[in-house]
Amino acid sequence: MRPQELPSKLRIVSLGNTPQNAEERAYSAIQSCFGLNCELLSPEPPPEFALDVLRGQCNSLEILDWLESRFPQPDQWIFGITDVDLAIPVLTFVFGEARLGGRSAVISTFRLHEEFYGRPADTLMLLSRIEKEAIHEVGHMMGLTHCLDRNCVMYPSNSLSQTDVKSIKLCPDCRSNLYS
Amino acid sequence: MKSVARIMVVDDEKIVRESLSVWLRKFGYEVVPVEGGQEALDILDREEWNILLVDLKMPRVDGIEVLRKAIEVKPGIPVIIFTAYATVETAVEAMKVGACDYLIKPIDPDMLTLKVKKILETQNLTNENVMLRDKIDAIYQFDEIIGNSKSVQEVLEIVGSVAASDASVLITGESGTGKELIAQAIHRNSDRRYKPFVAVSIGALPDTMVESELFGHEKGSFTGASHAHMGRFELADGGTLFLDEVGEMSSKVQVDLLRVLEERACYRLGGNRKIHTDVRVLAATNRVLKKSIEEGTFREDLYYRLNVIGIHLPPLRERGDDVLLLAEYFLRKFCMKMNKKKEGFSPEVIKLFLRYKWPGNIRELENAIERAVVVGKESLVQLSDMPFGGGQKVLEEKTAISLREVEKKHILKVLNETGWNVTRSAHLLEIDRATLYNKIKNYGVSKPRDQR
Ligand SMILES: Nc1ncnc2c1ncn2[C@@H]1O[C@H](COP(=O)(O)OP(=O)(O)OP(=O)(O)O)[C@@H](O)[C@H]1O
Ligand SMILES: [Mg+2]
Ligand SMILES: [Zn+2]
Ligand SMILES: [Zn+2]
């Protein structure tokens, strides 16, 4: 499902108390991987509207709806970064969510911290994971589906070890699918 | 055009079928959300489907009924049932009716992906990428390691990726979680597989023996050394040395081991010939070595030598439904071995399996099932065939018993759980082995006949 056309701009917005430099790192990673024209927006509050109180997680699909209505310009894409834990109703959690071939995506830093797994903080690791997840979700916006190459950034990761194993790059197959 | 897998997602809740569809489409599958059992049956034979994903609880036509009709109309069609936790038993029932798998809501996305992928792979609906990966994975044989839980699958993934290297691996986990099994799997999937896998259990050896076991000794090097003796390092040359219970090493042995690992060579006790060894070292412990380091009983430098890669095996109680898979596996294994016929487990036993804490982990389960196959009379394994069902009651019956009696019973219980492994029991009881031996003798505790 390919997007109709590439955006004039991809806008990046933080939702809540995201780690320092998260947006900047996502910005340069996305720009250098896809050559998209990016822009950083001023931060928005955490997405409390999407909170599922019972699960203590936010519904990522509702966040996408919200982003699309808050930033409605059809020729611009909107990319959110949040520190809340994300899930879609039937799944336990997701690192991020994007509309396949659509104009919105969001990632969560919640489970990308070493501290979440009871280990000492590691800022470099955290930022590199943010970059990978950001590129992965933008890949979906660009119409890419999951890739079976464990080292490709489009490999689906639902555990940190998978995120850490994969590279920050698109494999040659995915790269050629991108422009085909 | 490569053919695209088609998946039907049936759920009366819109949000559920939509979000599952969204998720699966990101894998490039064609997904058709369907809002009820009847609607599913209506379109079932009009089109080709690779997988049906069906919610168990739906008004009117429920998941079981969809399942029944589906396998009637299209025999062999893979149906995955998903359900909320409260209805696990029904899910087990669904498996009996013919579901190929089931998932518990909220669904672990990784499990979903894995199960769908596995089914599609068997259907040959694979593109070249998959075939390539299949070829790579084919050398990894983990047939005998049972487990669908995410933690076990992750362990196998690590095993697959480290097997080929020569890196040291430290395997941690409670007693009976399969540390040795994993060590063997690493060996068998490495290039060293045609060379020996030598295991040495350091905790089971008296301190003075450890060095001679590991490094060997020359004739006459100590009283009683009437012959020269090859150490395990030499025996394992070219292969893999498995150091079990490394947490039990004295500080002297730790120093010597570290030196051997660094120099890749050793000396026999009482000898001065340098023996070069090409050995990959795998180590295991059920202790938390980080804590031993803090307490000063384990060398940090040795720890980093051994723990180049760490693999942690979770206890059985944290592996969810794996306990049922393992139970089925052991039941088949022992039935075959003892030439008996058993159909499965009674619902009470299944309930017990899921609830019980399994302090002795997989070994305890294995022993329990072996026993059940021996003593059970009916075609389904009954609660009364289980060692703990009765054992726990005994303790509860009479409350006014002496401390001595309580201790005796507790020791007996732990011994039974570990299959009478004294070292392991001593660990669990947090006393040393000599003390445990003395208590066994004093209390006159003995192994039940059917476990000998
Ligand atoms: N995932 C598994 N699938 C099938 N069998 C298993 C699995 N894990 C363990 N077992 C079996 O359980 C028993 C105990 O495993 P093993 O001896 O490897 O445990 P261990 O962690 O080394 O225990 P200990 O610390 O007590 O030495 C063995 O018979 C092993 O084959
Ligand atoms: Mg062992
Ligand atoms: Zn993805
Ligand atoms: Zn790729």
Side-chain angles (χ1 to χ4, degrees), chain A residues 120, chain B residues 166-170 246 249 254 257-258 261-262 281 283 289-291 293-294 298-310:
Chain B
D166 270 343
S168 306
V169 181
L170 179 66
V246 276
M249 273 185 289
Q254 291 180 36
L257 177 62
L258 183 65
L261 294 177
E262 276 168 355
V281 174
L289 286 188
K290 280 259 159 90
K291 211 166 108 209
I293 294 172
E294 272 164 29
F298 203 86
R299 296 180 64 103
E300 193 168 14
D301 44 9
L302 179 59
Y303 174 78
Y304 286 111
R305 270 274 157 191
L306 297 174
N307 189 37
V308 175
I309 288 153

Side-chain angles (χ1 to χ4, degrees), chain B residues 43 53 72-73 97 106 143 156 158 169 186 188 204 217 238 241 254 278 341 362 370 375 388 413 418 424 426-427 452:
Chain B
I43 59 170
L53 261 167
E72 208 180 284
V73 180
V97 176
D143 297 351
L156 294 185
I158 301 177
V169 181
I186 293 176
R188 270 186 292 102
H217 62 249
L241 181 64
Q254 291 180 36
D278 166 27
K341 243 185 106 149
I362 296 153
E370 180 171 16
V375 304
F388 21 80
K413 179 161 169 271
T418 60
R424 253 168 244 123
H427 270 310
R452 273 181 223 181

Side-chain angles (χ1 to χ4, degrees), chain B residues 180 244 363 424:
Chain B
E180 182 149 5
D244 205 357
R363 180 177 298 100
R424 253 168 244 123

Side-chain angles (χ1 to χ4, degrees), chain A residues 96 98 133 136-137 140 144-146 153-157 166, chain B residues 23 26-27:
Chain A
E133 291 307 321
H136 181 97
E137 297 307 337
H140 283 317
L144 293 178
T145 54
H146 286 150
V153 74
M154 290 313 291
Y155 186 79
S157 54
K166 71 187 184 185
Chain B
W23 177 261
K26 290 198 184 126
F27 291 80

